[in-house]
Amino acid sequence: MPILHCSCILFYALLPLSSLGRSVVEACFIVRNPMPVGRKLRIKTLPSSYLRLSAPDDDLWDADGPLQKVWASSLPLPENAGHDPSIADRARNAMAGSHPAALEGRCDVDLGAFDGRVKWLHVDPPVMIVDGFLTDAECDEVLRLTDVSPPPFVGRVIRIESRLSESNKSSSTSSTVLRLSTTWYVRYAAAALSPLLRGLRKLLPNVALERVEEVQLVRYEGEGQGFGWHEDVLGIDQATPEAGGQRVATLLVYLDECDDGRTLFRDLQGEDDKRLGVSPKRGRALLFFPSLTGTTALGEAASMADGNSQRRKTFGDTYFDGTRADHRTTHAGEPPTGNRNKGQKHIAQLWIHSREHTPVVFGRGLNRHAEATL
């Protein structure tokens, strides 16, 4: 039986599943800790750069902790700017107009979509929510895809029990668990995904469906399951032309409600000088941008401000598609607590690439964007 000793759970580019006939494929994943894998799977390893991890210097998922890094370039909402009127003024200016400066170098967002329910939570880097992105009935249909026996005509669903860890720098034997969750990959053709994909195109009207990565549904269950501080960008070896280049936008849709379970941004300021946190609310969408494309006035000012005050790079190196990682978007998924919703949190996860993405999770040509029903 093979032993998995890989560096991330985003394995799809190297996992041929087209020959598997089961309707649900299960596997166990652990990073830097060997673990048996189901007999029908042959997993090749990926370099650690595929998923950029930010090692936690403080407690994982600490919602009330102080901002770990204070970026001079960061612009919170004007009402969260404290007693500095200049920051509040800069934030207002960056949000102003039909084409806000804060969205330059990012996907075009229809700020008037969903009857004006698009709401800013942070200005630079931009973070937004949309309440009512999905209805309760639409959330129920998506959740049915995670049943032991998926609904008819859905096609094959891939289920992964994932454990993502990072070795403890002070010990050669211990590790810090960064992610515990269950993930389902679903075909674009699944009818339950139609409202999700339509909502995506409504919110981001200039994003072609071909730029959307395979849809993932994720479940965190109980106080021990969550996702520690990390970035969503890909390493330079993985953001290839075939993969669609870099991830330029992240859209998370909460499918149920739970106690705690917030999405936390480690270095972004929310209310009361605390970290920005987004609580799960059924049907709510969260949008942010893990990378910046090209050179923008606000981006250059950000680089200068951070470089001068903290001698820290706001953005990563420039990739072939002109994108740079925005390190300020480091975030985490707080574990659900209590008994509400059986202590579970479900989200639908969509990543948008800079270019057309080639889907390969189910095998090449077996999960086509054109099969989606919009």
Side-chain angles (χ1 to χ4, degrees):
M1 181 178 291
I3 298 296
L4 177 67
H5 191 231
C6 73
S7 299
C8 77
I9 62 170
L10 295 177
F11 62 94
Y12 63 82
L14 298 175
L15 179 56
L17 291 170
S18 57
S19 62
L20 301 181
R22 298 174 59 190
S23 61
V24 177
V25 181
E26 298 186 30
C28 293
F29 285 79
I30 190 169
V31 176
R32 301 193 183 107
N33 287 304
M35 192 172 186
V37 183
R39 294 177 182 175
K40 288 195 175 184
L41 294 178
R42 295 293 183 269
I43 312 297
K44 295 177 70 175
T45 62
L46 286 175
S48 58
S49 59
Y50 192 88
L51 180 67
R52 292 178 59 88
L53 296 176
S54 298
D57 297 322
D58 57 354
D59 292 337
L60 291 179
W61 314 307
D62 183 359
D64 298 320
L67 300 185
Q68 194 173 102
K69 294 181 179 179
V70 179
W71 297 93
S73 63
S74 182
L75 290 178
L77 290 179
E79 57 266 34
N80 296 334
H83 301 291
D84 190 336
S86 65
I87 294 178
D89 288 342
R90 286 165 50 209
R92 289 189 192 94
N93 291 335
M95 296 168 62
S98 57
H99 299 285
L103 291 178
E104 291 182 11
R106 282 137 178 143
C107 301
D108 290 334
V109 180
D110 186 349
L111 298 173
F114 296 92
D115 299 321
R117 295 194 302 274
V118 181
K119 179 181 177 181
W120 294 79
L121 295 185
H122 197 272
V123 180
D124 187 30
V127 180
M128 302 175 177
I129 60 169
V130 184
D131 285 339
F133 186 89
L134 293 182
T135 66
D136 286 349
E138 290 166 346
C139 289
D140 285 337
E141 287 301 304
V142 176
L143 284 171
R144 287 184 65 200
L145 300 174
T146 67
D147 290 346
V148 175
S149 298
F153 311 115
V154 168
R156 188 149 45 85
V157 175
I158 297 175
R159 171 178 168 173
I160 301 167
E161 303 290 344
S162 56
R163 176 185 173 94
L164 182 63
S165 303
E166 179 174 90
S167 298
N168 190 317
K169 296 177 177 61
S170 62
S171 171
S172 60
T173 58
S174 62
S175 63
T176 299
V177 176
L178 291 180
R179 179 174 186 174
L180 285 171
S181 62
T182 304
T183 300
W184 290 261
Y185 286 88
V186 184
R187 292 174 181 268
Y188 299 110
L193 296 184
S194 296
L196 186 68
L197 298 175
R198 285 198 301 269
L200 169 68
R201 296 186 68 178
K202 186 176 180 180
L203 182 63
L204 305 175
N206 294 330
V207 170
L209 183 60
E210 287 74 17
R211 291 170 56 186
V212 180
E213 197 172 308
E214 288 86 340
V215 179
Q216 299 178 35
L217 309 179
V218 183
R219 179 184 69 201
Y220 298 101
E221 189 170 17
E223 297 184 22
Q225 294 202 359
F227 200 166
W229 304 122
H230 65 284
E231 295 179 48
D232 282 350
V233 289
L234 302 178
I236 195 167
D237 295 333
Q238 286 72 45
T240 62
E242 182 180 44
Q246 186 57 276
R247 291 170 174 166
V248 295
T250 296
L251 183 72
L252 305 180
V253 182
Y254 303 99
L255 301 175
D256 44 31
E257 298 182 14
C258 61
D259 295 324
D260 295 323
R262 291 166 290 186
T263 302
L264 303 170
F265 290 86
R266 190 188 64 185
D267 306 324
L268 303 186
Q269 185 171 315
E271 297 178 350
D272 301 323
D273 292 327
K274 292 183 178 180
R275 285 176 171 146
L276 177 62
V278 181
S279 297
K281 181 179 180 181
R282 198 169 208 216
R284 168 180 285 175
L286 166 64
L287 174 68
F288 61 95
F289 305 91
S291 65
L292 179 74
T293 302
T295 301
T296 69
L298 205 58
E300 292 307 296
S303 296
M304 184 175 296
D306 293 325
N308 290 341
S309 63
Q310 291 113 336
R311 301 190 181 280
R312 184 184 303 123
K313 290 182 63 176
T314 316
F315 305 106
D317 296 333
T318 302
Y319 284 16
F320 79 94
D321 55 0
T323 59
R324 295 177 290 166
D326 190 336
H327 299 313
R328 300 171 297 176
T329 61
T330 297
H331 60 287
E334 183 184 41
T337 61
N339 296 320
R340 189 180 182 190
N341 193 40
K342 300 179 181 179
Q344 296 181 350
K345 177 179 72 172
H346 293 83
I347 61 173
Q349 187 166 269
L350 296 94
W351 281 306
I352 294 89
H353 288 253
S354 65
R355 302 185 177 190
E356 290 190 7
H357 169 76
T358 303
V360 293
V361 168
F362 292 87
R364 292 182 180 275
L366 298 179
N367 179 32
R368 296 187 293 270
H369 291 96
E371 296 172 345
T373 55
L374 300 175

